[in-house]
Amino acid sequence: MSKINNTKIINDIEQQQKAAMSLDSNSSNKKINSIRSVSKIIKSEMTQDGEGVTLNRSFPNNFISEFDPFLLLDEIGPTDLIPGKQKGFPDHPHRGFETVTYLLEGKFEHKDSQGHAGIINSGDVQWMTAGSGVIHSEMPEKEFSKNGGRLHGFQLWVNLPKSNKMMKPRYQEIPQSKIPTGTTENGNVIVKVIAGTSLGSKAVIDTITPIMYMHFKLESGYSIVQPIPKEYNVFVYVIKGKGIFERSNNSQIIERGNLVIFDKDGKEVYIKAVEDSKVPLELLLIGGIPIKEPIARYGPFVMNTQQELYQAVEDYRNGKLR
Ligand code: FE2
């Protein structure tokens, strides 16, 4: 009996030691590996908005209503406009948040009820803080509309904290030439920095709450690790090519049109362009600090309470929202 017991005790101790060792290796792995894990992959859904503009909408949808502080992400097109058939977004209001338009191809004309107008060319960004309210139109520019051509871009909606929801509207219009870019030493990864900092380049756009918005292009087989502040929620939207977003042997390959949402379990996001792809990987990496306030939304109005929402609709109807 005593012999059996001794063997059992020795086995138990060995097992405990093994368990302790594996715990050690797990915890040290956790310390070394600060790459965020992929938590969700959401395929964008084709839809139409405005006067019938084709969109790929990542959210809101049945799976995700918002991703604090972000309220919506649309990929506009890619679509070929038929000459003379203008499709855009005629007069509509916004209150309580920001719209960020980033055009890759095409030309858009923007006009608001206060007389502010401008052209967004391919590569340009318009960061509009609607604040207390604007009524505007976003239409293909006249010549572009007449001649037709490829339209491709993005619109992101960024929520505003309660303290800024009724701020005076503000526009930041940054032409492609003024958007900072960064590159790795070998030149195989380049980034346009619309908000935040990447590869040593800092954005020129001022954001109300801390936001990062980057357009990465990676040649096939190359990778990058982008630091992410720990409080940030962050996602990637794949525009072209195929990417891998975790450092493991069974990492899923993610193709264009997909949104990749990351857990907040690390300080970096890993991005790799698959080796056998004929086209480089292009993606948007977008993140920000969650606002953590109640959201009451109705179409183009995003407030904190139902009462404020009714007020927004009321102000719009009475011509007070301008
Ligand atoms: Fe709009």
Side-chain angles (χ1 to χ4, degrees), residues 89-90 92-94 97 99 101 110 128 134 136-138 155 157 300:
F89 306 90
H92 59 278
H94 292 289
F97 63 101
T99 66
T101 308
H110 169 267
M128 182 186 84
V134 298
H136 73 165
S137 63
E138 298 154 288
Q155 190 163 92
W157 288 10

Side-chain angles (χ1 to χ4, degrees), residues 92-94 112-113 128-130 132-136 169 171 321-322:
H92 59 278
H94 292 289
D112 79 7
S113 49
M128 182 186 84
T129 307
S132 60
V134 298
I135 298 170
H136 73 165
Y171 291 92
L321 191 147
R322 299 188 296 159

Side-chain angles (χ1 to χ4, degrees), residues 61-74:
N61 56 28
N62 292 336
F63 309 104
I64 173 171
S65 53
E66 68 271 327
F67 185 54
D68 198 2
F70 307 106
L71 301 161
L72 170 147
L73 178 68
D74 279 344

